[in-house]
Structures are given as structure tokens and as C-alpha cells.
């Protein structure tokens, strides 16, 4: 408040000038209050925009204190990873973290303009890692298949030669060897087909072609029990890959024969 003694000693002109100054100060105060409210509203709007942007992200996100690791904000997607923060190495900007059955790519970056805050985001890369492992396993499988193929071919040739030379009592044993070799060859063939990728070559052909392939495969496959093959293919023409379909049908046939061989029944 203005001192009363000083106010009484002012003349009219000075009082008028003081009054005008006070009114100007009051008016400016009102203006500053309006500006503050507008600024506050703008800040709240910006904060809400940031919140909505973070919330709209499908990946979990957190804003944490760089020193204390206290969480200031997190989106709803982070609710599924409530203990992930404890597994993160805060010294690494990019890292892979295993969380249960999930593999997450975690990225950390400092908030621009506020060195005390850090944004953490996590991306689920489980399928990518699984694909990488499958690709690696495929390369290994292909290499092993190629390495095994040559000696198996030699064993198969020697087994066929041996079958012609042994007496009748030993032939069932050699047949069993040939059957086992056939299983290995089928595994190798399927493995190479899987690792190289299936290249489908469609053409028109009659189902009788498949029936002939199955009968030929049946005649060349070794078994010890009384096994009967019944086929009833329609006399029609289809569009497909006869080689790949032949592999499917032969696998059905071989699996059936193996199942009969392993069962307690003497025929099938």
C-alpha cells in the first residue's frame, strides 16, 4: 500500500500521475494473468497431445527418470510388461530382452531439452528371432543332408548287391537294412525340399499316374508282414504338380507300412 503521509504530501498533478501508473500496473497484471492462463492451457494441450501420441503407439513405452528410474508416464500397452523395466540395462541404448516367451527389442533415448528424462520403447521381435533361428536350422539341415546323402547312396547300392548274394535265410535281414535306408533317404529328400523351398510346377495329368507311382513304391519298399495295397483312383484329369503329389502319396504309403510293421498284427 502507498504510505499515507507520502500520499498527503503529493499535489494534484502528482496524484493524477500516480493514479494513472497504478491503473497501468493493474491493467498489465490482468494482461499477464490472461497470458499465463493461455500459456497454461497451451501447455496442458501439448501434454495431452503427447499423452495421446504415446498412448496410440502399439508398442509399450515408458518415460522414466534417468537417475532414479522412476516412471513418470507409461502407455496402456506397457501394462503387459510390468516387470520389464527391471530387466533393462539402462546403460545400453539398444538391446534385446527376453520376457517370458517373448523377445523384445528395447531402445532408450534421452528426452531433448530434459536430460533427466529417458524414453524407453519395446518392440516384439519374437517372430523375427524365430524366423532367424529356423533359417539357421535350415542351413544346417541342408548341409547335413548333403553330407549324409552320398554315404547313404553307397550303402543302398551295397545293400542291393548284398541282397543278390546272400542265401534265403539272410535276405529278410538285408530287406530290413534296405527299408531303413529308404526311410533315411526319404528324410533327406524331404529335408532338402524344405530347405530349398517348394517350387510348384503345375500341369494337367491323370490320377492314374499317381496310382502307378504308388504301386511301384509299394513294390520297392521292404516289409516283413503280409501287407495288402488297395487303390481306387478316379479316372479323371487334374491340375497340379505330379512330383510333389507323388511325394505326399508315397509318404502316406510308407507311414502306413511302417505303422503295420510296428503293430502287433501280422497283416494290414
Amino acid at each position: 500500500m502507498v504510505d499515507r503521509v507520502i500520499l498527503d504530501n503529493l499535489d494534484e498533478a502528482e496524484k493524477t500521475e500516480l493514479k494513472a501508473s497504478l491503473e497501468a500496473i493493474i491493467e498489465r497484471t490482468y494482461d499477464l494473468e490472461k497470458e499465463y492462463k493461455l500459456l497454461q492451457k497451451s501447455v496442458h494441450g501439448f501434454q495431452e497431445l503427447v499423452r495421446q501420441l504415446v498412448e496410440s503407439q502399439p508398442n509399450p513405452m515408458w518415460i522414466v527418470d534417468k537417475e532414479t528410474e522412476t516412471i513418470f508416464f507409461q502407455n496402456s500397452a506397457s501394462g503387459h510388461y510390468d516387470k520389464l523395466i527391471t530387466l533393462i540395462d539402462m546403460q545400453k541404448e539398444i538391446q534385446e530382452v527376453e520376457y517370458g516367451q517373448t523377445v523384445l527389442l528395447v531402445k532408450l533415448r534421452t528426452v531433448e531439452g530434459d536430460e533427466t528424462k529417458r524414453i524407453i520403447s519395446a518392440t516384439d521381435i519374437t517372430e523375427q528371432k524365430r524366423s532367424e533361428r529356423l533359417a539357421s536350422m535350415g542351413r544346417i539341415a541342408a548341409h547335413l543332408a548333403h553330407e549324409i546323402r552320398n554315404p547313404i547312396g553307397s550303402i543302398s547300392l551295397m545293400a542291393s548287391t548284398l541282397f543278390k548274394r546272400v542265401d534265403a535265410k539272410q535276405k529278410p535281414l538285408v530287406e530290413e537294412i534296405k527299408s531303413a535306408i529308404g526311410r533315411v533317404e526319404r528324410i533327406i529328400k524331404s529335408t532338402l525340399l524344405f530347405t530349398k523351398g517348394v517350387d510348384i510346377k503345375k500341369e494337367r495329368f491323370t490320377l492314374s499316374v499317381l496310382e502307378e507311382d504308388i504301386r511301384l513304391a509299394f513294390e520297392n519298399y521292404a516289409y516283413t508282414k503280409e501287407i495288402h495295397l488297395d487303390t481306387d483312383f478316379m479316372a479323371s484329369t487334374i491340375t497340379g504338380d505330379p512330383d510333389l503329389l507323388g511325394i505326399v502319396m508315397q509318404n502316406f504309403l510308407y507311414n502306413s507300412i511302417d505303422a503295420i510293421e510296428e503293430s502287433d498284427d501280422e497283416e494290414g
Side-chain angles (χ1 to χ4, degrees), residues 203-216 233-234 236 238 241-243 245-246 249-250:
E203 60 181 73
R204 297 288 294 176
F205 68 96
T206 59
L207 288 175
S208 60
V209 173
L210 292 179
E211 189 169 15
E212 291 173 5
D213 287 345
I214 289 175
R215 289 196 172 278
L216 181 61
F233 281 70
M234 294 181 295
S236 59
I238 66 170
D241 189 320
D243 293 332
L245 287 172
M249 294 299 178
Q250 287 177 26

Side-chain angles (χ1 to χ4, degrees), residues 243-262:
D243 293 332
L244 294 179
L245 287 172
I247 292 174
V248 173
M249 294 299 178
Q250 287 177 26
N251 282 332
F252 281 140
L253 172 67
Y254 295 148
N255 289 339
S256 300
I257 294 174
D258 292 342
I260 296 171
E261 289 282 279
E262 295 170 5

Side-chain angles (χ1 to χ4, degrees), residues 30 40 45 47 65 106 137 140 147 171 182 189 212-213 244-245:
Y30 285 136
Q40 191 176 42
Q47 289 176 336
D65 183 273
V106 178
M137 291 173 60
I140 295 173
E147 291 295 321
K171 285 186 182 296
K189 188 174 183 179
E212 291 173 5
D213 287 345
L244 294 179
L245 287 172

Side-chain angles (χ1 to χ4, degrees), residues 8-36:
D8 291 339
N9 291 329
L10 295 177
D11 57 27
E12 291 301 321
E14 290 173 333
K15 289 180 179 180
T16 301
E17 184 179 351
L18 177 60
K19 181 181 178 181
S21 298
L22 290 174
E23 289 176 349
I25 291 173
I26 293 171
E27 186 66 28
R28 181 56 182 160
T29 301
Y30 285 136
D31 291 340
L32 288 174
E33 184 180 10
K34 291 179 181 178
E35 291 176 4
Y36 173 75

